[in-house]
Each structure stands twice: as C-alpha cells, then as structure tokens.
Amino acid sequence: MQKKSKRKTNITLIRRIVQVVAFILFIYGGLFITAQHVDNVIMPFVTPPEISNVKADHLLPKTEYDEVFDTYFPTRTCRYIGTDTRLYRACAMHFLTEVPIYGVPLRDFLPHLFFFLLLAFLLSRFMCGWLCPLGAMQDFLNWTRKKLHLNYLKLPRLFLRIFERFRYIWLVFLFVMGVAIVIPALGLVPLQRDLNIITCNTCPGRIFFPLLTGDMPGWWVFHNPIHAVLSTLAIIFFIIFLLSFFGKRLWCKVCPTGALLSLFNKGGAIVKVKDVTKCTKCGVCERVCPMDQKKVFEEKHKKIVNAYNCINCFRCVDKCPEEDCLKVKFFRWTVFRSQSPK
Amino acid sequence: MIKRLKNIMERAEDEQLEWDGRYNARTKSKLRERRKLYKDHGLFDRWLSDNQKVLAELKNPGHRPRAMAYYDDLFTTGKALKELENLKRKGKKIIGTFCNLVPEELIYAAGAIPLRLCSGCFESIKPAEEAFPRDSCPLIKSSFGFAVTDQPFFSLCDAIALPATCDGKKKLGEILSDYATVWMLDLPQSKERNISKKYWLSEMRILKRRLEGLTKNRIGRQELKRAIVLLQQRSSLANRFHAIRKKQVISGSDAFLVMQASFFDDIGRWMSRTAKLCDELDKAKTPLASKTSPRLLVTGAPIILPNFKVPAIIEQFDAVIVMDETCAGSQSHYDPVAVDEWNMLDMLRAVGERYLMPSVCPCFIKAEDRIDKLVDLVKEYRIDGVVYHTLRLCLLFDIESQKVRDIMEDNGVPFLHINTDYSREDKEQLRTRIEAFIEILQSRKRRSS
C-alpha cells in the first residue's frame, strides 16, 4: 500500500509539453537545428529525386537538402512552410499521394515508406495525440474555450458515424486520384496541375502553418471548376477545424492521415489494457474522450481496448478512478496506469 | 441575457414530476388522526435506546479502536439532532434523501444539508403498517414510520429527494407526499443507453432548480466546484478506510457504523474524525482474528443500525467481515466525481453520472456490474466466504442472489444466503446457520494452510 501512494503522474501536462515542443520543432525547428547538424549522421538516407524523374514541372523538386530531415513525417508537417524553418519535407500523406506523379524510383520510395511504416507500427495514432501540430492547434483552441468556461459541443453519434465512413472514402479517393492522374488512358493527364496533391489542397494546415512562419499560405482558388469544388471542400474542412473550438478534436475525426494511421492502431506497440472486473462502469472514460470513443467503456470481454480512433491521449487512463483498472503498455512495459485519486 | 434565455429554454424542456395534490386532501384528516395516535410515541428516543443496546453488544473485545467512541456517541445521544435543529433555526434547509443515488454535491452547493433517511429501526415498522402495506420491505416501512409519527429526523426535512429505484420506493414517494414535499428523481431503468444519461442529466437540472427555489441560493460554478471537491475528498477518505479494512483491524459492524454516521453527521467533522480513525488504524498491528479465521464479504440488502443482527452474530464467532458491498456501507461514498472541465454542464454531467453509472443497485436491468464488482472484491480482499443478506420482501436482491451464488460457486467461494427482516425473533436460527457456515470455512482454511 505504501508504494502505491506516491504522487499521480500528470499525463496531460506531459502531453501538453510534448505537444508544444513538437509543434515548435516541426514548424520552427529549422531555425535552430540545421542540416549540417544532422546531415549524414542520423538522417538523410535518400538522395533527392533527379530532375529528369519529374513530370509535373511546376513542382520543382529539391536538389539540395533544404530540410533538416530529408524525409516525411506521418503527421501533418506542412510543405508550405518555408524550407528554412521546417524540419521535415512534408507529411507522409503528401508523399504517398505524390509518388506516382513524380515517378519516384523504388529505391528512393521504399526507405520513406519503411520510415512511415516503422513509425506507424511503433506509435500509430499516438502521433496524432502527442505530436501532430494540427492536433496541438485544436487542443489550443479547445483550451481557450475551457478557460472561457464555455460548454463543449458533443457531436451526435450519427455525425460520428458519417465522419467515420467519409474519411475512409476520402482516403481511398486521394490514393486513387494520385494514381489516376498519371494513367493516360483515363484522360486525366491534362488536368494534372489541378488534381495533383488533393490532400494538401484541402488541408486546413495549409492556411495556418505558413502564416505562422511568415510565408505565403496556399489560399483557396476558384479559377476553374475543379479548383472551385476542391476549395469549397477545403473551406468546409477548415470550418470543421475551427469548430474544434467548441467540440474536441473535430478535424481529427475527418482527417485522412488519421484514417490511415488508424489502421495501425490495433496492432501497434502501444496497447491499452483494461481489467474488466475492476471497472465500476462509471463511464468517465467515455465522457472525457476527445474522440468520443465508447470502446474503453463498452468492452467487457477482451483485455485490449485499443479503438481505431483512439489518439492515445490517455485521458481515460488519467481520469479512471480505479487503481490499475486501465493500463498503457508499450510492448510489454507498463508505461502508465490508472490510479485512484489521493 | 443569454444565460436567461438558456434558463428559459431549459425550463421549457424539463417537465417536473409532481403530485398535484388533488388526492391528498382526502387523506389529510386521516393523517391528523394518525399523527395524534402516535403523538407521544417517542420513536426517536426508542431508536437511540435501541442503538445503545446494539452497540453495547458490540463492545465485547478490547480491540475496538479508541476513535470509535465518537461514532457511538453520535448514535446513542441526541447530539446530532440538536445540532441539526440549531442549524435549521438559523435558516439552513435540510433535504432528506433516500438510497445513495441522490447527488449530495448539488445539495451542499445550494447551502442545504443532506440527511439520509434510510432507517434500520424495528420500532417504527408498527406505526408505518397502518398507512403502508404490510407486505413491503422492512427498510421502507421503517423509514416511513418516522414520517407517520412525525419524528426526527423526518420532521426536520424541508423536502425529500427520493430516487425511484425499486417498486417500494416508487410508491413510497406518493404516500410520503401527503406528509412532506417529495421530489422524485426519475431513475432510468438501464445505465447503458445513451438516452438514460441524457435523461438523468435533465433530472439533475430539475433537482438543481428545485434546490435553488427552496434555498433561494443560486448554484453557481464556484459553489458546485467547492462541493464536488469536498465530496471527492470524502470519497478518497472512505476508500482509504476501506483499504485499511484489509488488515482486519476493524470489525465489519464498526465499519458499518462509521459509514452510517455520515448519513446525518456534519460532513467536515465526520471527515476529520474518520481521518483520525484511519490514522489510529494505520498504527494498529494486532488483527482482530487469527490466521485461520475466515475473511467474509457481506453483500445484498443494506444493513442499517440498529439492525446489526447479521454482522453482530458473524463477529461473535471467529470471523471478520473485511468488506461489504451494500448501499449503506462501502458503496455509499465509494466513487469520486470525475470532472473533466469545470463548467456547469460538465460538472452536472459528472455529478449525475457518478450517481447513476457505477451504481450496483439491483433495480437496474442488468446485474452484471454488481457481479463484476463482487468478483473483484473477492479477489482483492482475499475473501473466504460470501454472506448474502436479503431483507424479506425485497424481491430484487433475492432474485439476484441466484446469479451471484452461481458465479461465486464457480469461483470456489462458499456462499450463504440469509433472508431475514428487522425483527429479532430469528436470531437463534440465524446463529446456528452462520455458525455452521463459519465452521466450514474455518476447516477449509485450516486444511489449505
């Protein structure tokens, strides 16, 4: 008993610190970490694509290592930020949907893919909750609301279900379009300029991040029908993003990167374990969940309670009033567990 | 402006559940007659003397912690009553509650005092039976008896908040409304549905508004937060107390006594006294029982002083009740309110869910949560045997006993079902049954060690 009475870890505080540090690093990291520091030592395992490989001529590839890490991080680290401040080239979704149009050779493509898969298996949506700058901004918006003592908005489950379907349809659409615009038989080749990287064209981060570093944001443009449609969608996404002032993490419920990482969420290294008999079914875990997930609350048979949409913020574990009822495991080490309030 | 608008909208949404009093008038004359009949009944004094008798029996071994004297004092003298009367004279409102499903946070936030009216008094059953059917559970009859005779603590209450749990409690509200203002809390039948949480939240809003109307104090964010923090402290204190019980340094009946003192004692004083008791128990080294004496878990219908028949008999023998799972025992302050954000809606949600969701009352559709809880307690407190106490005519606990028995037997834990009421006639019969059960447990334990 004596051992257990030590102070409770404030996981949310730790998460906030990590989020702020990650935010600064991803967006301003290039200012204090330069390529010379890490070049050839840790990272770049890839040579930049040759100019001859490029098909979309308006997107000139890099010939030098402008970024510190010449690779792509799975969460949204925007390519519209100036090259001298950002840490990574772009987000993995950007890269994965862009590969066909550049015709990146396999030996250049695979290391990036392996890096993505490694992070996805190790951390999965942990990155959404702890590292993603878009997530951090939503949390900041939500924090402002909290400080103003306003009530939060809880989405009806119908919306959640619609979002759940939509984001996978959207994800598949993004990948399909990425491939379709390079296949001549489909006749989309003339539209390459407009249909290239829809991920970025509809991303809310494209407005925000460049503004933070003083670069030109990728504004929405309406000069042709395709752009008009995509821009309308982008505005809707942007509104959803801003609405996370009222709800918690609204954009994360639509985000295609999140949808992609969700697929790794159940087999990943981070595992949430629940002791069903210890649970008093008080429902706190469901109430505090920013993603409105019911899995932790509802699970009565299995031990592992990872949900596809869980962003691993560990808010449920933090708030659970039962000693050892919920545990977070990284491989087989218990990293964090629920404690009764002292 | 916006707040006002919101208030109006909320008011339009929530309808209040009340008796309009059309059928109360007819019974008013009868009521007066009844009250005249029991005018000099002195039920409260009888309750005190009953408590004295029961507590005198408990005081046998020298192991009893010294801090327990305070609780004995509370139950055997009219001290608590005088205090409450004083507070009432000063203008404090007193809200009677039943069951452990009434959110005390709201009551404290409104500046009122909750007073739990669940009674274990045998004497009050007789007057109650004149206005209440004989074939209802003794707890309800006993509690109602104080209303018929207009005795404290009932006479002190400005209003009574009564959750509609079992059938008896549902109809008790209707009959009680002749005698006092009764606020029914309409409890959902199941906890799992999304809608039941929303429904219960609206019930919380209604209760809040009623409390504000009665006390003329607005329940603001700060007040509610203060009340929540206070009761969180109480629940962590209660949990500390129950964790100490693993060491077998306090008997089960004493633990019941401590928890039930909080029904009518001043909360601040109860907390400081219980903290003192915990400190004393932390230092205590000699357990009440030897290594072979079985560790028992008492569950089922509430055991309320002076109806300490079952725990008193159990602890006469070489056995200790290390834990109980009853709503007048360990369950009453077990769960803390877990608030995510300190705004009004979320606090109300948190308060409401704290009372609804972890409740293991058998009046809900499923018994699974309760069985989970029992299985966990058996594991955590290393229980050797389960004593399932039901009150005669309480169907719900009786029905659930079948399932609990099966599960306990699957887990290899011996199970004893006792069906009794508040009368003392079956004491000897119970004694033989409990003695046999404990002997079996002892021999099992001796064999395994």
Side-chain angles (χ1 to χ4, degrees), chain A residues 43-185:
Chain A
M43 251 321 153
F45 40 65
V46 183
T47 50
E50 299 288 319
I51 295 176
S52 58
N53 287 334
V54 179
K55 282 179 187 155
D57 51 277
H58 70 295
L59 290 165
L60 275 176
K62 317 237 163 312
T63 47
E64 283 177 77
Y65 298 119
D66 288 314
E67 290 80 17
V68 181
F69 300 112
D70 185 31
T71 184
Y72 303 87
F73 199 75
T75 60
R76 306 249 152 161
T77 50
C78 195
R79 69 180 274 275
Y80 287 86
I81 309 171
T83 46
D84 48 344
T85 58
R86 66 185 178 207
L87 206 63
Y88 288 94
R89 287 183 79 172
C91 73
M93 264 309 281
H94 165 82
F95 171 68
L96 293 175
T97 51
E98 194 192 42
V99 166
I101 200 163
Y102 277 106
V104 181
L106 213 58
R107 70 184 169 85
D108 282 353
F109 167 65
L110 279 181
H112 290 301
L113 187 71
F114 281 136
F115 179 67
F116 171 77
L117 287 178
L118 180 77
L119 279 182
F121 271 114
L122 275 183
L123 302 174
S124 59
R125 286 203 84 175
F126 176 84
M127 290 182 279
C128 296
W130 291 63
L131 303 174
C132 179
L134 268 185
M137 288 199 72
Q138 286 178 83
D139 278 356
F140 174 73
L141 285 175
N142 200 44
W143 177 82
T144 352
R145 175 196 56 81
K146 213 165 152 181
K147 286 287 144 194
L148 294 171
H149 298 299
L150 292 170
N151 295 330
Y152 59 84
L153 185 113
K154 215 166 183 181
L155 277 186
R157 297 211 79 80
L158 176 72
F159 275 88
L160 288 183
R161 229 170 288 156
I162 291 170
F163 283 166
E164 178 76 8
R165 297 263 166 81
F166 168 78
R167 58 189 200 137
Y168 281 108
I169 295 169
W170 186 237
L171 181 72
V172 170
F173 173 77
L174 289 177
F175 280 123
V176 168
M177 285 313 283
V179 179
I181 52 172
V182 291
I183 301 174

